[in-house]
């Protein structure tokens, strides 16, 4: 996986002015574009599209300072107009191309990324693989922005808006694994961009043939394999650290890749103030296809 990400970085450098076909590059390595985008975003802290924009504007800044024609520069780096190029330039550097041409800066360059896997061997992730038939996730859904670190106040407000008796009702409906009240994220941006919208569902798992009450939202989970990580400690920090560690440790070391589908958090135990918890993080996966 680390090799695939570095190949992607090299391809971006070779084709800064062109569209990057992540799916084709991933397929040639026996993985999916979905998995590559998720791993890139998790490890780099930015989606592929943002990294491409930053690298384009880093290299373009030298052409701006050299006095090249602005439309020529814009087209060279994949923009159809000086205005579109100018917006991207300001978004990256914080100043206009005119200011940089006049003053030579300030600039916010993006270095070329290089991914490396460091194996410490001092700890092991608590993970297991589970084959599951199709099941349903039923509960109350809301569209919320993705927040990488800390408590998501939008999710918190959504849960708080449900009366206590509704939590009791939902829990009684649970009829399939993972058991109990669940925190479900679906329709997540493949780039995993901070601030992008996702569907959050507070609910339970039902058997595939179970009827959900008409007033509940339903997300279908396909039959397949799930990797389940168990975490324990400060909440939600331990969960977020486990997701990051899956990208740096578990996925690079195992022949599995993320596939589209809901991710699920089952809270097994929690303190009264919810500052600490023992949880399970369920992620849908599939075996990698050996590269030809």
């Amino acid at each position: 996986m680390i090799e695939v990400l570095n190949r992607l970085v090299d391809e971006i450098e070779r084709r800064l002015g062109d569209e990057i076909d992540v799916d084709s590059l991933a397929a040639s390595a026996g993985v999916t574009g979905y998995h590559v985008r998720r791993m890139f975003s998790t490890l780099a802290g930015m989606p592929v599209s943002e990294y491409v924009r930053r690298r384009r504007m880093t290299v373009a800044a030298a052409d701006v300072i050299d006095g090249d024609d602005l439309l020529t520069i814009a087209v060279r780096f994949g923009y159809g107009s000086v205005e579109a190029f100018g917006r991207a330039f300001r978004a990256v550097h914080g100043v206009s191309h005119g200011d940089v041409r006049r003053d030579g800066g300030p600039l916010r360059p993006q270095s070329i990324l290089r991914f490396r896997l460091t194996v410490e061997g001092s700890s092991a992730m608590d993970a297991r693989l589970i084959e599951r038939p199709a099941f349903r996730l039923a509960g109350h859904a809301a569209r919320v922005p993705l927040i990488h670190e800390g408590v998501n106040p939008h999710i918190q407000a959504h849960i708080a808006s449900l009366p206590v008796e509704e939590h009791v009702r939902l829990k009684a409906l649970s009829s399939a694994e993972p058991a109990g009240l669940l925190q479900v994220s679906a329709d997540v941006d493949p780039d995993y961009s901070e601030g992008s919208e996702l569907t959050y569902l507070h609910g339970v798992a039902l058997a595939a043939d179970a009827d959900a009450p008409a007033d509940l939202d339903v997300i279908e989970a396909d039959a397949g394999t799930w990797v389940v990580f168990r975490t324990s400690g400060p909440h939600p920090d331990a969960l977020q650290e486990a997701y990051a560690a899956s990208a740096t440790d578990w996925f690079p070391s195992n022949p599995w890749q993320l596939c589209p589908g809901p991710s699920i958090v089952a809270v097994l135990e929690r303190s009264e103030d919810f500052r600490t918890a023992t949880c399970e993080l369920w992620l849908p996966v599939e075996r990698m296809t050996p590269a030809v």
Side-chain angles (χ1 to χ4, degrees):
M1 191 64 241
I2 298 299
E3 180 184 352
V4 175
L5 293 175
N6 285 325
R7 282 176 55 192
L8 174 58
V9 169
D10 293 340
E11 185 70 6
I12 289 169
E13 288 303 305
R14 283 194 293 269
R15 305 180 59 187
L16 276 178
D18 301 325
E19 289 298 318
I20 305 301
D21 191 343
V22 178
D23 294 323
S24 293
L25 185 145
S28 69
V31 296
T32 64
Y34 180 89
H35 184 65
V36 169
R37 289 185 181 90
R38 291 289 293 270
M39 292 298 101
F40 187 101
S41 178
T42 301
L43 294 174
M46 70 184 91
V48 175
S49 57
E50 176 62 17
Y51 174 72
V52 170
R53 183 175 69 162
R54 291 185 185 185
R55 282 299 302 152
R56 283 174 172 170
M57 294 305 101
T58 296
V59 177
D63 295 341
V64 170
I65 292 172
D66 286 345
D68 291 4
D69 175 71
L70 288 176
L71 181 57
T72 300
I73 298 173
V75 172
R76 183 180 299 153
F77 291 98
Y79 294 89
S81 68
V82 173
E83 291 74 17
F85 171 76
R87 287 192 294 271
F89 193 93
R90 182 180 288 276
V92 170
H93 295 296
V95 293
S96 71
H97 47 68
D99 293 335
V100 169
R101 175 160 288 182
R102 184 183 64 248
D103 304 325
L107 296 170
R108 300 172 184 166
Q110 170 65 56
S111 300
I112 298 174
L113 291 178
R114 188 57 54 186
F115 296 92
R116 293 183 176 86
L117 176 62
T118 301
V119 180
E120 299 291 346
S122 59
S123 62
M125 295 189 72
D126 186 343
R128 68 186 194 277
L129 289 162
I130 298 176
E131 287 289 334
R132 292 281 289 112
F135 59 97
R136 316 184 80 193
L137 296 157
H140 297 279
R143 294 290 288 174
V144 299
L146 174 64
I147 295 177
H148 287 154
E149 297 183 5
V151 174
N152 188 318
H154 306 277
I155 291 176
Q156 213 171 26
H158 175 60
I159 296 172
S161 70
L162 302 174
V164 174
E165 56 269 24
E166 186 59 15
H167 296 275
V168 175
R169 174 199 175 212
L170 285 172
K171 195 168 184 178
L173 290 172
S174 176
S175 62
E177 289 291 328
L181 288 174
L182 307 174
Q183 302 169 1
V184 181
S185 298
D187 306 320
V188 180
D189 174 16
D191 281 331
Y192 213 60
S193 307
E194 179 101 9
S196 60
E197 281 201 335
L198 59 92
T199 298
Y200 173 82
L201 181 137
H202 183 75
V204 295
L206 308 177
D209 57 356
D211 291 327
D215 63 325
L216 297 183
D217 301 298
V218 174
I219 295 173
E220 304 290 347
D222 296 332
T225 306
W226 298 74
V227 61
V228 182
F229 299 102
R230 179 179 284 242
T231 70
S232 186
H235 187 78
D237 303 52
L239 266 176
Q240 292 164 345
E241 288 168 7
Y243 184 81
S246 74
T248 59
D249 183 6
W250 196 85
F251 281 108
S253 306
N254 291 276
W256 297 90
Q257 61 186 337
L258 285 168
C259 60
S263 60
I264 304 168
V265 173
V267 180
L268 307 181
E269 297 177 4
R270 50 167 286 190
S271 62
E272 189 173 337
D273 60 6
F274 216 163
R275 292 188 177 180
T276 60
T278 298
C279 302
E280 285 186 342
L281 171 62
W282 291 55
L283 300 174
V285 294
E286 60 188 4
R287 285 191 71 90
M288 292 182 179
T289 304
V292 177

